[in-house]
Amino acid sequence: MVATVSTLHTPAQEIERLHALHHQQLEEFRAAPMPDAAVRVGNLRKLKAALIQQQDSLVKAVNEDFSCRAEGDTLIAEIMTTVQALNYMIKNVRKWMRPSGRHVNMLFAPASNEVVYQPLGVIGIMVPWNYPIQLALVPIATALAAGNRAMIKMSEFTPATNRALKDMLASVFDETEVAIIEGEIDVSSAFSEVPWNHLIFTGSTAVGKHVMSAAAKNLTPVTLELGGKSPALIAPDANLEHAAERICFGKSLNAGQTCIAPDYVLVPEGREKEFIGRYHQAFTKMYPTMKDNDDYTSIINDRQYQRLFSWLKDADEKGAKITQINPGDENFSDCRKMPPHLIENGTDEMTVMQEELFGPILPIVTYRSFDDALAYITDRDRPLALYLFSYNRDIEKKVLEQTHAGGVAVNDTLMHIAQDDMPFGGIGPSGMGHYHGKEGFVTLSKAKAVHRKGRINSGKVIYPPYGTRLHNLVYKLFIR
């Protein structure tokens, strides 16, 4: 067992530690640049065993950071999701590692072609505060599956979780394999400037731009998971009860502090009141009370809490109609629990219609024709997720063909991210690149093309001097 390394308290010390560990990990990687399948599977099994063994302490730590983080939210969205991802990688990594044979054109025969998947080296991972376990461990697992080493920059807003994760990882990995870095913005900036072999960042679009700019100085390849305003589109044929219940779940998990939470809902004109009623009914069934209900998560900190209420105030002052859902008629003035707020009559001048909400606020946008609804989506930045509610395959085909999103769930919310055999990634302002499943393995590997020739060299037929009869024959055969 490796002893836990205490976090150094000054930014300068932590930045010095960052660079020292990066150098050590690079040196260790160079000494063993191609771990075999047994090593990789062994690392994944160790990580899984440690996670299962330490799940109670991790659940308690996240709860401490949030002041109230629903145990079910953590078990479902963090522990279970990560364990299932690990199981999938353990089962498939040997297959992913196999070289892929490729076609050889007749002109170049006899020869062979294959693509070899080679570890990149040392992977940097920048983790946000909203799902600190899953968004640290799934990228770590992907890096290990691809044969890499990894360093993780945790959020300063989750100190208890950071300590618990550091203890867990130190119990099974040396810091030359997996290491955690902590600190505020100056440490984050230094982390993004390290010449990683690949950098994964999950967070806001605004910060993502700074991260990508810093990485560009070293030509560091990046995977960005940024979020944005993910729409839930209720088609005219949709079952409103089903739609409201599933949107409510997706918006209430972690109190809406989810990058793929529905950020606004498009409802056929005239059905908005019914939707609000159905939403109220669904929420009340899941959360009959909130304040002392451990199933309902708090807003992470005062800064985020005040941000959300300032945006509600802005919407109210600009003419929005706001419906608060508070089944128990409770007073939340002495805690950071925030009940859902549904917004009607939103305009583009309101902050809630411009920015990713990241909380239990849901604008309702009405539309007259379905084409109007599609135009509303396509006129805006491409989102990380899109949710369509319709049982009509023609409508589904139209939406899938005419809109862009990082991922789509039809008649559900959030669940597409938990599909182990599917890539996850944004598009444009909602991010770039993919991880999860095989796509994650490929992202954190170098697909190296290898062309092999033997003693016979048929390629000599194209050597100079040019203009011979043999050259002319080759041109006729292969330029057509």
Side-chain angles (χ1 to χ4, degrees), residues 62-125:
V62 180
N63 183 65
E64 179 183 337
D65 286 328
F66 276 76
S67 79
C68 179
R69 190 2 153 54
E71 182 178 355
D73 286 0
T74 303
L75 289 174
I76 291 169
E78 304 230 61
I79 306 297
M80 187 173 72
T81 301
T82 304
V83 169
Q84 291 302 306
L86 281 161
N87 286 340
Y88 187 75
M89 293 183 209
I90 289 167
K91 180 180 178 181
N92 288 283
V93 68
R94 286 182 172 86
K95 179 173 64 177
W96 296 340
M97 289 176 65
R98 293 173 192 155
S100 171
R102 301 298 173 94
H103 170 73
V104 179
N105 190 289
M106 185 177 68
L107 176 63
F108 308 104
S112 67
N113 287 341
E114 68 177 10
V115 174
V116 176
Y117 294 96
Q118 183 178 19
L120 292 175
V122 179
I123 309 302
I125 302 164

Side-chain angles (χ1 to χ4, degrees), residues 55 77 84 96 138 155 165 167 179 197-198 229 231 235 266 299 323-324 344 352 384 388 427 446:
Q55 61 180 304
Q84 291 302 306
W96 296 340
V138 173
S155 169
L165 273 175
D167 288 346
N197 299 112
H198 196 100
K229 298 188 75 63
L266 287 152
I299 303 304
T323 300
Q324 182 185 113
E344 298 175 82
V352 293
L384 184 54
L388 169 66
I427 178 170
K446 169 56 185 165

Side-chain angles (χ1 to χ4, degrees), residues 62-228:
V62 180
N63 183 65
E64 179 183 337
D65 286 328
F66 276 76
S67 79
C68 179
R69 190 2 153 54
E71 182 178 355
D73 286 0
T74 303
L75 289 174
I76 291 169
E78 304 230 61
I79 306 297
M80 187 173 72
T81 301
T82 304
V83 169
Q84 291 302 306
L86 281 161
N87 286 340
Y88 187 75
M89 293 183 209
I90 289 167
K91 180 180 178 181
N92 288 283
V93 68
R94 286 182 172 86
K95 179 173 64 177
W96 296 340
M97 289 176 65
R98 293 173 192 155
S100 171
R102 301 298 173 94
H103 170 73
V104 179
N105 190 289
M106 185 177 68
L107 176 63
F108 308 104
S112 67
N113 287 341
E114 68 177 10
V115 174
V116 176
Y117 294 96
Q118 183 178 19
L120 292 175
V122 179
I123 309 302
I125 302 164
M126 301 184 74
V127 183
W129 52 261
N130 61 325
Y131 291 101
I133 301 170
Q134 182 217 133
L135 293 174
L137 297 186
V138 173
I140 289 172
T142 307
L144 294 173
N148 300 290
R149 294 163 191 263
M151 293 180 63
I152 311 100
K153 167 60 180 69
M154 299 298 294
S155 169
E156 65 271 27
F157 298 141
T158 55
T161 307
N162 300 354
R163 289 192 298 271
L165 273 175
K166 181 175 284 189
D167 288 346
M168 187 200 83
L169 291 170
S171 72
V172 289
F173 295 113
D174 188 87
E175 283 196 320
T176 59
E177 298 172 297
V178 177
I180 283 182
I181 298 294
E182 294 181 81
E184 299 190 10
I185 189 169
D186 41 5
V187 179
S188 295
S189 296
F191 194 95
S192 64
E193 292 172 356
V194 169
W196 306 104
N197 299 112
H198 196 100
L199 177 62
I200 299 175
F201 169 81
T202 303
S204 71
T205 302
V207 177
K209 292 178 181 179
H210 292 292
V211 169
M212 188 173 181
S213 177
K217 295 175 184 177
N218 296 308
L219 296 180
T220 298
V222 296
T223 297
L224 304 178
E225 298 298 339
L226 305 180

Side-chain angles (χ1 to χ4, degrees), residues 247-261:
I247 292 170
C248 181
F249 170 76
K251 192 64 173 177
S252 302
L253 184 77
N254 207 33
Q257 298 166 107
T258 305
C259 61
I260 55 170

